[in-house]
Amino acid sequence: MCREGYAVPYYGQSKENLTELHQANKQILNCERITLIRKLLPKPKLPSFKIANFFKALKDLTLLPFRSRVMRKLVSITLWTPRKIGMLLRQVCYGIVATPGAIARSPIQLYHKSKLWRDWILTKVDYLEAESAKWKRTFQIIKSPYSILLKMGFSPQYAIGLLAVGSTAATGAVAAEAMKPPSFAAGDPGIYNAPLDSPIFSEKDFNTLRLDLGTTPIGVVEISDITVGTAYTNSALPSGETKPVIVGGLPTVADPAFAETFLEVGHMTVDRWRCDTLTLTNIEAHELIVRDNASDGQSISAVAGTPRDRGISGGNRAADMLTSGGYYDQVKITAATTNVNGKIDRLILSNLYTKGGACVLDRIKAGTLEVILNEVGLGNGFATKEFTIATSVIYKNFTNEDNVEVSIATAPAVSGPS
């Protein structure tokens, strides 16, 4: 304890009191120093305690380690790695479970996808083929006004005069057209060796359109809008012939020796024919379609079998052979070389107006054979069968729809070329 007071001088004191006096003065001096020091040093203030400050300090202390970027990344890795591992394991397990089902479904899915692509491509190919044929025919018509007039029934002299009216240059052009050699595309009669467009035989009095097929495959053969046989005035069948239309191979002959031939066709269409009789014999068709035919008596007796489907390839095959319009005493498409089948990928025979005998399809092997929208009859009742599909016609798939028997008289003759 500090004792306050003043220091007592030593002089005048007895010797016995000096020791005690010395201790008292020393204590007084010490007290004075302590008092002086307390006055010189400021008195510290204790901070006031607040609960909010406590929690703030506690939060700062807790989050202090995570304010470092490295620490945040470390915590993120520590917390998210197990979850990511769990997600990966879940996906692996799902894949293991789903794999057998995916493998089982994959052929079906692949088939459906490939079918969509196949149908899309075939649609485009069919469209391009149709457009190409139309343009080809258009240019043929544009460049052949003389041929058009002949098919309309005008005589050669009248056609030349009609086109040459008032113009010497036009006369020369028409004369050049008239002097052009006959051709299949122009619809000129003659005997043609496919794929040649020029006939190997042609004469003024020869009015048959005959196409002989050999070793060269043909892409498309199309004959449409023609009048055949005695179906036009002042016409007659060729001497010794009884059939205005003959399509197919030829039978075996002993003298002169000839081995049987067939006409092989990928897809054949026979539509809108007008015939006295229509007969199908010795035919193999993977798909036979007989639909919407009207006849004055019919007998459809095709037999089920196993003909294969077919299409005609041949690589760099011949160009298409197309013709439209004309008057002929007979039309023949045959495989005329012994033991060699004729081959056509697409054969279209449309709108043939015939009279004077039977229209015959014989010795044909086809992938698809369509016989549709034809009219056949002689007007002699249903007892005689003018439309006949014989038992020698064999099919794998057969569509027989809406073929009716109605009274149909023989076709009247129309006006022929002048």
Side-chain angles (χ1 to χ4, degrees), residues 370-394:
E370 293 181 289
V371 182
I372 55 177
L373 297 169
N374 302 291
E375 291 187 353
V376 185
L378 286 169
N380 55 4
F382 298 161
T384 57
K385 308 302 181 183
E386 275 70 43
F387 178 34
T388 303
I389 300 179
T391 55
S392 58
V393 176
I394 303 173

Side-chain angles (χ1 to χ4, degrees), residues 155 182 283 287:
S155 65
I283 294 175
E287 183 167 3

Side-chain angles (χ1 to χ4, degrees), residues 13 31 55 71 174 220 222 255 282 313 352 370 388 395 413:
Q13 298 291 336
C31 287
F55 285 112
M71 183 60 69
V174 174
V220 177
E222 181 176 355
D255 188 18
N282 301 309
S313 56
L352 274 62
E370 293 181 289
T388 303
Y395 63 85

Side-chain angles (χ1 to χ4, degrees), residues 343-357:
K343 296 183 178 182
I344 304 173
D345 188 47
R346 186 77 171 93
L347 176 57
I348 303 170
L349 303 173
S350 178
N351 192 21
L352 274 62
Y353 189 79
T354 77
K355 185 179 179 180

Side-chain angles (χ1 to χ4, degrees), residues 213 218-219 221 263-266 312 333 342-347:
L213 293 141
I218 310 299
V221 173
L263 181 61
E264 297 185 24
V265 185
I312 305 304
I333 302 176
K343 296 183 178 182
I344 304 173
D345 188 47
R346 186 77 171 93
L347 176 57

